[in-house]
């Protein structure tokens, strides 16, 4: 006898997460002051990055609607070693926090990234897939695209050491092309409302005649109030429960709690096959 245990988690009640954009001047509407400030709140080489109407076409004519964007203009480069990043420090992004970076891009070679430091040195980052000159098929120059990625800042990163950048070509600029950026956002993402893992059986969820003798899960909940957690075992082919158990959640969120079925899994899952454990959050 060999049975495989799979896991399915369902949240029937969720809460609203934080959605405030942590970036200043994310749409580049407010101009900057000085040779290192193409837009307020952003630091970059103004001979490379310039504000322009987002409806600007490559023939230099503005479209019908033209909110601002930041534009990478390679023809304005003075030397090949000029910086090709336009960045903003985000002191409100804290170590251990979970965030989503989003930006709209147009053109070729452009991208957005988040980086963080440890002891004032580069320590890592989030690098969403960006429009690349070698992509297939090549993007239409006039098409705005949205890229996004969720990431977690490491706990041992520097407080105040998170930076968001729009860029062209990352370390090396893409020659003779123009890239544009707008609607950049960095928002905090709440933890998953429900996270569950199989604790026993631990190795690939396999139950055999020799064990294990316990079917146990570990669950984490991040909700505003104390829910009731229900778990049930069924075969993958049927919706009929073979066993059900449940616990009332502690009043504080983010606590790890074991969920154990009463039956010995060698008896409960005595027929060889694939079994599913459904876990769901319900109102008590």
């Amino acid at each position: 006898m060999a049975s495989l245990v799979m896991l399915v988690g369902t949240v029937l009640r969720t809460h609203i997460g934080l959605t405030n954009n942590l970036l200043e001047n994310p749409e580049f509407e407010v101009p900057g002051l000085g040779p290192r400030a193409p837009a307020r709140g952003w630091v970059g080489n103004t001979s490379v990055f310039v504000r322009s109407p987002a409806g600007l076409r490559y023939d230099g004519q503005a479209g019908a609607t033209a909110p601002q964007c930041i534009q990478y203009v390679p023809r304005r480069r003075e030397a090949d070693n000029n910086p090709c990043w336009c960045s903003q420090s985000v002191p409100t992004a804290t170590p251990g926090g979970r965030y989503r970076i989003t930006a709209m891009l147009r053109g070729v070679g452009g991208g957005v990234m988040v980086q963080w430091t440890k002891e004032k040195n580069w320590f890592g980052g989030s690098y969403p897939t960006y429009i690349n000159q070698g992509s297939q098929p090549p993007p239409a120059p006039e098409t705005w695209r949205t890229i996004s990625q969720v990431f977690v800042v490491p706990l041992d990163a520097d407080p105040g050491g998170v930076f968001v950048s729009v860029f062209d070509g990352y370390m090396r600029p893409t020659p003779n092309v123009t890239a544009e950026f707008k609607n950049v956002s960095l928002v905090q993402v709440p933890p998953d409302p429900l996270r569950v893992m199989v604790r026993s059986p631990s190795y690939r969820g396999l139950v055999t005649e020799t064990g294990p003798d316990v079917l146990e899960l570990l669950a984490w909940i991040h909700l505003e109030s104390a829910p009731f957690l229900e778990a049930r075992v069924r075969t993958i082919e049927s919706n009929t429960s073979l066993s059900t158990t449940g616990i009332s959640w502690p009043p504080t969120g983010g606590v790890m709690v074991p969920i154990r079925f009463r039956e010995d899994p060698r008896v409960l899952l005595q027929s060889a096959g694939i079994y599913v454990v459904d876990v769901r959050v319900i109102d008590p």
Side-chain angles (χ1 to χ4, degrees):
M1 182 271 288
S3 300
L4 183 67
V5 179
M6 301 174 62
L7 188 64
V8 176
T10 304
V11 177
L12 300 187
R13 198 178 50 160
T14 60
H15 67 298
I16 302 299
L18 302 176
T19 58
N20 292 334
N21 193 347
L22 302 180
L23 298 180
E24 181 183 1
N25 196 20
E27 299 181 6
F28 310 103
E29 295 289 340
V30 183
L33 298 174
R36 297 287 297 164
R40 192 179 72 183
W42 296 88
V43 176
N45 190 332
T46 53
S47 68
V48 175
F49 289 99
V50 296
R51 293 171 65 249
S52 67
L56 189 70
R57 300 200 304 265
Y58 284 92
D59 57 10
Q61 297 179 0
T65 59
Q68 292 294 315
C69 70
I70 202 78
Q71 186 179 59
Y72 168 76
V73 186
R75 65 180 179 272
R76 293 174 178 255
R77 292 181 56 82
E78 298 174 353
D80 289 341
N81 61 354
N82 278 350
C84 53
W85 301 358
C86 185
S87 304
Q88 180 174 150
S89 173
V90 192
T92 51
T94 57
R98 188 169 182 240
Y99 302 92
R100 177 184 290 108
I101 180 67
T102 305
M104 295 187 68
L105 313 177
R106 182 168 68 172
V108 179
V112 64
M113 63 184 174
V114 185
Q115 295 181 305
W116 44 83
T117 63
K118 180 179 180 180
E119 298 177 353
K120 307 301 181 182
N121 296 312
W122 177 88
F123 186 48
S126 169
Y127 305 91
T129 302
Y130 59 89
I131 301 171
N132 188 286
Q133 195 169 15
S135 63
Q136 296 294 331
E142 69 276 5
T143 302
W144 284 103
R145 298 187 179 188
T146 300
I147 61 171
S148 184
Q149 188 175 55
V150 175
F151 63 93
V152 176
V153 179
L155 287 170
D156 51 348
D158 291 333
V162 176
F163 300 84
V164 171
S165 303
V166 295
F167 63 91
D168 179 83
Y170 190 42
M171 298 301 293
R172 291 179 298 178
T174 307
N176 303 320
V177 297
T178 300
E180 295 172 304
F181 314 87
K182 68 176 182 177
N183 298 347
V184 186
S185 69
L186 183 70
V187 298
Q188 188 171 1
V189 178
D192 293 331
L194 171 64
R195 186 162 63 94
V196 189
M197 64 174 288
V198 179
R199 185 177 191 178
S200 175
S202 60
Y203 182 68
R204 297 183 179 176
L206 194 64
V207 177
T208 67
E209 295 168 343
T210 59
D213 59 0
V214 173
L215 177 56
E216 186 179 54
L217 315 173
L218 291 177
W220 292 259
I221 284 287
H222 294 273
L223 292 175
E224 293 175 345
S225 58
F228 184 80
L229 204 62
E230 180 187 80
R232 64 173 188 145
V233 181
R234 61 178 174 85
T235 65
I236 195 170
E237 298 89 1
S238 172
N239 198 38
T240 303
S241 296
L242 302 177
S243 178
T244 302
T245 187
I247 61 170
S248 294
W249 197 261
T252 56
V255 179
M256 180 184 69
V257 171
I259 306 172
R260 178 176 294 190
F261 288 86
R262 296 181 298 273
E263 299 87 351
D264 187 322
R266 294 172 294 182
V267 177
L268 181 64
L269 314 178
Q270 57 183 318
S271 299
I274 299 177
Y275 294 83
V276 175
V277 180
D278 293 309
V279 181
R280 63 175 185 164
V281 175
I282 60 177
D283 287 321

